[in-house]
Amino acid sequence: MNRIHPRITCDVCGRVNIVGTRYACLVCEEYDMCEMCFSYRCRSHQHKPYHPMQAILPEDEFFDSLRRVGPNELRIYCCPYCGEKGLSVTGMIKHLQRFHHFGGHPVRCPICLVYKMRNRHLLKTTLLQHLLGRHKEECVPRRGPPQAQCAPECSICMDPMTMMSSVRNLQCGHQFHSGCISNWLMNSSNCPLCRANVGARGHTIATIGYLEMF
């Protein structure tokens, strides 16, 4: 099994083509460590030991895990704000909504890094906005056949919008829990799904006519 990260250099010891688990800093721009330097908690003028690091498996090992459990069940992601580990994509969203709704300092997306996507630089938005806009397909749990009268989910909190929910419609047509979207619009003027500029506009309806499913 190939355990090499091609063309990735450890920014501490200078080793080219890191072997084994690679550690990418989620705060520094383009900063990587090999396993040995990470274990010694090395630092530099740019990188500090307390910066959260995303562990990135070699490609063969990663895709083997992906085939076994599916993208939404991978609990491998690290929160770039507080360093919480072992999060799935959905778990990351709920964690961010609870503890880091408004973000903070610029960070890198751990999902983009793990999947080796092009967007591996510091984000210009909060991580929560980025996840809901870019990684929506990984955020939705796999489902069986559709059920009759199944309540739709609020895409912000991932909980169902039931008959007793207070729901808000945005101008773009997307619906969310009133409390969820109100908090979102305090920090962003764009719809979390389609990114349309909606400002604080929208209207609230008391119920949406779906039966709560148990």
Side-chain angles (χ1 to χ4, degrees):
M1 182 177 289
N2 187 358
R3 305 197 72 238
I4 296 176
H5 296 270
R7 299 181 298 280
I8 301 295
T9 301
C10 176
D11 287 291
V12 178
C13 67
R15 180 176 298 171
V16 182
N17 297 332
I18 291 176
V19 178
T21 303
R22 160 194 167 202
Y23 293 88
C25 183
L26 296 173
V27 177
C28 300
E29 186 79 65
E30 296 290 340
Y31 194 92
D32 297 281
M33 281 188 190
C34 64
E35 287 181 299
M36 182 177 294
C37 292
F38 176 77
S39 66
Y40 288 136
R41 298 181 63 82
C42 294
R43 60 183 297 167
S44 68
H45 69 283
Q46 174 189 14
H47 177 77
K48 307 303 181 210
Y50 54 81
H51 285 175
M53 304 284 284
Q54 176 63 49
I56 303 175
L57 295 173
E59 190 170 290
D60 289 349
E61 293 181 33
F62 170 68
F63 283 106
D64 184 55
S65 300
L66 195 64
R67 283 190 293 269
R68 287 200 309 269
V69 301
N72 196 54
E73 301 302 320
L74 282 177
R75 300 179 182 275
I76 60 173
Y77 303 110
C78 174
C79 173
Y81 298 113
C82 68
E84 178 80 20
K85 295 182 175 65
L87 298 170
S88 64
V89 179
T90 302
M92 177 75 78
I93 288 178
K94 292 185 177 181
H95 174 80
L96 294 173
Q97 288 169 338
R98 183 175 181 184
F99 298 108
H100 313 289
H101 191 90
F102 300 111
H105 53 272
V107 297
R108 299 166 78 189
C109 173
I111 292 91
C112 286
L113 288 168
V114 167
Y115 278 89
K116 297 181 173 61
M117 295 179 176
R118 291 182 179 179
N119 188 15
R120 289 175 283 180
H121 301 285
L122 293 173
L123 299 175
K124 296 181 180 179
T125 64
T126 68
L127 181 59
L128 181 58
Q129 290 173 316
H130 172 79
L131 290 181
L132 291 174
R134 180 69 182 270
H135 299 290
K136 183 63 183 174
E137 65 278 3
E138 290 108 348
C139 302
V140 181
R142 291 175 294 177
R143 303 179 184 279
Q147 302 291 324
Q149 291 187 313
C150 183
E153 288 182 346
C154 170
S155 299
I156 297 177
C157 68
M158 309 302 288
D159 288 333
M161 294 185 286
T162 67
M163 188 174 182
M164 301 306 296
S165 298
S166 176
V167 175
R168 186 170 179 179
N169 283 325
L170 299 184
Q171 275 196 332
C172 59
H174 290 123
Q175 291 182 338
F176 308 91
H177 286 132
S178 296
C180 295
I181 194 61
S182 294
N183 289 335
W184 177 274
L185 292 176
M186 289 175 64
N187 192 49
S188 172
S189 60
N190 298 322
C191 170
L193 288 179
C194 66
R195 312 303 297 162
N197 191 331
V198 295
R201 293 169 291 181
H203 61 276
T204 301
I205 52 180
T207 62
I208 58 175
Y210 288 91
L211 296 178
E212 187 166 6
M213 306 297 290
F214 296 96

